[in-house]
Amino acid sequence: MMGIAVCRNIFLSPINFTTMLSKISFASRTLARNARGVATIQEVLKSQVPQKQADLLALKKEHGDKVLGEVTVDQCIGGARGVKCMLWETSNLDAEEGIRFRGHTIPDCQQILPTFKGPAGPENGEPLLESLFWLLLTSEVPTKAEVDGLTADLHKRAASLPSHVVPLLNSLPKDMHPMTQFTIGLNAAQTGSAFAKAYQDGAPKTEYHEYVLEDVLNVVAQLPEIAATIYRNVYFDGVVSKDTSLDYSGNFCRMLGYDDKGFDELMRLYLCIHTDHEGGNASAHATHLVGSTLSDPYLAYAGGLNALAGPLHGLANQEVLGWIQGIQKQMADEGKEVNAETITQFTWDTLNAKKVIPGYGHAVLRKTDPRYSCQREFALKHMPDDELFKIVSTIYEVMPGILTEHGKTKNPYPNVDSHSGVLLWHYGFTQFQYYTVLFGVSRAVGALSQLYWDRALGLPLERPKSVTPEFIKKFCESQ
Ligand code: AMX
């Protein structure tokens, strides 16, 4: 029967076929997992580390002196685009296809990862963030029971947020950018770092990853309270209420002050798709770099958050909303409609003013970001008539053509940040200066999963070679 089903699906589409294969392999893995019983994430990782360490040693021994690529002067000056010089376990980004989390596309993940209702599958809602966290850390698809165990563990760990953090956040000026507050909160929570303490106490290098895992789980568990405290302080009454009968995302929604099942589902999707985008993006790379100095996960991820706060990276989601409001205001002032024609004019005005169009373009991607596409699918399913969604759709119709005609960007298509704001806005989450904090809660899961493996695999201090302009000139002239 399974064979017939697979054959039939081959003729549907390659995506359906891949998804079918994922489901089959998931089913067989689930059988194996059920035989072994419910494991904790610590147990699974402990069983994987020796083999992974041996595999990496063997890879180095066999291929250590092979050449992965060369570096041109343009790449050296131009932000190292395409230079292959970083090991990354958790995800891989293809320019055409987009992100794969441990080999799984976003549609795959929506098929195979456990949801709040239980079994995997879009009919049961979006995957749980904890499911993806498990997949990123272990490369295995968890059972629902394993995910529930992780959820309970994270809820328990959230209580370990040091007692000085919330009062510190309460003392910050309300007009300080939420991302600045977020990094302050995370840095302040560093006093609880298990790794920093173990290092000071003389733990051997072979044990670093055990303490790092404690910190990774604690940071992920503590971030919602830091983030929600900032949101409630800046925009509301400062009161944060929890509901730990829910999953990580649902509880986070309650902490932010939202009690709406539709918004819970959106937050599950949102938190999953922002987790990881291979290693070279600024927030993941910064976390990896800072962590390579043996700064603990709190300090390392605070570095990542500072990178995320830049408008060319995570801050683009707030910029998109600001840009759309700019169109709306100008057209209202001029008594015009927001439509394809006026959006085109506004876009050219932005480009002629030498500004970027937020939410479009990408350093690696050369097609529409699948993180954009799945958010569009969500909107088509849950809010097809939303006015702002219609504007975002019209922008999507005209923008690739305009950017192509403009002729500068290598990728005229939308990225993740082009769509996230409109979904949040639909549920009444209109404080767009805060949007990057949500991105930051999610990115922790990817960047810190990798940081665990950085230490488990004993990766060294990152220290690429820089060169002076004089060196480049002399070197090239001597060739
Ligand atoms: N609007 C206008 N110009 C753009 C553009 C856009 N959306 N995207 C790229 N360009 C311009 C660049 O500024 C650059 O101009 P320059 O030669 O005068 O410096 C030229 O096109 C070539 O750039 P590129 O090679 O296509 O892109 P990049 O790798 O240098 O930069 C990115 C990538 C994302 C920073 C860029 O596309 C951009 O600024 N986009 C808008 C901001 C944004 O949406 N950021 C979020 C990205 C996703 C994320 O990290 N969250």
Side-chain angles (χ1 to χ4, degrees):
M1 280 301 285
M2 187 68 91
I4 294 167
V6 170
C7 288
R8 236 191 271 132
N9 275 280
I10 287 173
F11 300 108
L12 289 177
S13 77
I15 292 175
N16 282 350
F17 182 55
T18 321
T19 302
M20 177 64 76
L21 285 181
S22 292
K23 278 196 151 184
I24 293 168
S25 99
F26 170 59
S28 57
R29 276 199 306 263
T30 305
L31 281 177
R33 189 72 48 74
N34 288 344
R36 126 182 141 190
V38 180
T40 66
I41 206 158
Q42 290 91 336
E43 287 164 349
V44 176
L45 289 170
K46 199 169 178 189
S47 71
Q48 292 180 344
V49 166
Q51 188 60 51
K52 296 280 282 187
Q53 289 172 336
D55 290 347
L56 192 66
L57 269 181
L59 191 70
K60 275 185 72 171
K61 196 168 166 213
E62 196 175 343
H63 298 296
D65 57 356
K66 305 263 166 60
V67 178
L68 281 178
E70 52 181 21
V71 181
T72 64
V73 173
D74 272 348
Q75 286 172 308
C76 173
I77 297 171
R81 296 289 182 288
V83 177
K84 298 188 191 79
C85 64
M86 198 191 312
L87 187 73
W88 204 258
E89 283 276 330
T90 49
S91 67
N92 189 55
L93 182 60
D94 179 84
E96 305 289 319
E97 184 195 51
I99 193 66
R100 276 181 183 261
F101 302 120
R102 293 285 189 178
H104 299 282
T105 62
I106 291 172
D108 277 353
C109 289
Q110 288 173 312
Q111 292 284 348
I112 64 175
L113 292 177
T115 65
F116 183 61
K117 279 195 191 164
E123 62 283 3
N124 285 329
E126 302 297 339
L128 291 174
L129 174 72
E130 300 89 312
S131 305
L132 191 62
F133 191 15
W134 189 292
L135 176 70
L136 289 170
L137 260 175
T138 68
S139 75
E140 292 185 1
V141 176
T143 61
K144 173 69 172 154
E146 287 170 334
V147 172
D148 287 346
L150 179 57
T151 302
D153 186 31
L154 291 173
H155 284 331
K156 210 161 92 205
R157 286 169 184 275
S160 65
L161 185 69
S163 59
H164 57 268
V165 175
V166 170
L168 174 70
L169 292 171
N170 293 345
S171 75
L172 297 177
K174 303 285 172 270
D175 59 355
M176 179 185 276
H177 193 280
M179 280 302 281
T180 313
Q181 299 195 35
F182 201 27
T183 55
I184 289 173
L186 182 57
N187 272 306
Q190 186 269 347
T191 51
S193 168
F195 175 70
K197 180 171 184 314
Y199 189 87
Q200 287 307 319
D201 292 347
K205 188 176 176 183
T206 47
E207 289 175 11
Y208 288 173
H209 62 281
E210 292 167 21
Y211 300 103
V212 165
L213 182 58
E214 277 301 295
D215 282 356
V216 166
L217 293 168
N218 286 338
V219 171
V220 171
Q222 292 165 359
L223 282 180
E225 182 156 2
I226 298 175
T229 301
I230 296 164
Y231 185 67
R232 300 297 305 176
N233 274 345
V234 171
Y235 305 107
F236 301 99
D237 53 4
V239 177
V240 173
S241 317
K242 297 183 184 179
D243 183 351
T244 52
S245 70
L246 293 169
D247 59 309
Y248 184 94
S249 309
N251 182 42
F252 182 38
C253 291
R254 298 302 170 277
M255 293 166 89
L256 291 166
Y258 292 81
D259 191 347
D260 175 331
K261 288 192 170 57
F263 189 68
D264 293 351
E265 276 300 298
L266 170 64
M267 194 56 71
R268 287 173 190 128
L269 177 69
Y270 184 105
L271 292 181
C272 278
I273 63 175
H274 287 79
T275 48
D276 211 26
H277 219 223
E278 75 169 27
N281 70 79
S283 51
H285 185 189
T287 306
H288 172 77
L289 169 68
V290 176
S292 83
T293 70
L294 298 186
S295 263
D296 60 68
Y298 289 84
L299 299 179
Y301 189 57
L305 283 178
N306 280 315
L308 196 69
L312 295 187
H313 191 20
L315 205 77
N317 56 14
Q318 85 163 46
E319 302 284 284
V320 168
L321 254 293
W323 191 80
I324 293 175
Q325 287 201 331
I327 308 179
Q328 288 177 313
K329 181 173 181 320
Q330 185 169 317
M331 295 316 137
D333 289 350
E334 294 176 9
K336 293 180 185 164
E337 260 183 41
V338 178
N339 56 28
E341 194 185 327
T342 52
I343 289 171
T344 301
Q345 186 52 53
F346 193 82
T347 300
W348 279 112
D349 291 347
T350 305
L351 292 170
N352 291 335
K354 308 276 177 241
K355 293 183 195 157
V356 295
I357 307 298
Y360 277 76
H362 199 271
V364 178
L365 283 167
R366 294 295 175 260
K367 284 273 167 67
T368 296
D369 191 336
R371 301 173 299 174
Y372 177 93
S373 306
C374 73
Q375 293 184 90
R376 182 173 162 75
E377 291 297 319
F378 188 95
L380 287 168
K381 188 168 159 191
H382 298 284
M383 57 191 79
D385 298 324
D386 184 278
E387 274 313 306
L388 212 51
F389 171 53
K390 286 183 186 160
I391 293 178
V392 167
S393 294
T394 311
I395 294 172
Y396 186 32
E397 280 165 29
V398 300
M399 191 61 76
I402 302 173
L403 288 174
T404 303
E405 188 182 336
H406 184 242
K408 273 187 138 190
T409 174
K410 295 189 187 68
N411 175 34
Y413 300 107
N415 60 55
V416 64
D417 297 311
S418 184
H419 214 304
S420 51
V422 59
L423 301 180
L424 296 166
W425 193 280
H426 176 83
Y427 290 100
F429 199 124
T430 55
Q431 301 81 9
F432 59 83
Q433 291 84 357
Y434 182 88
Y435 286 174
T436 311
V437 175
L438 300 177
F439 194 155
V441 171
S442 170
R443 182 50 55 95
V445 167
L448 292 176
S449 292
Q450 178 59 39
L451 194 69
Y452 167 76
W453 282 105
D454 289 350
R455 298 291 77 78
L457 297 172
L459 299 188
L461 176 73
E462 188 172 286
R463 203 332 186 161
K465 177 81 184 92
S466 65
V467 288
T468 63
E470 292 76 24
F471 168 86
I472 296 178
K473 195 162 184 289
K474 214 164 137 191
F475 179 84
C476 293
E477 285 171 357
S478 72
Q479 295 299 295

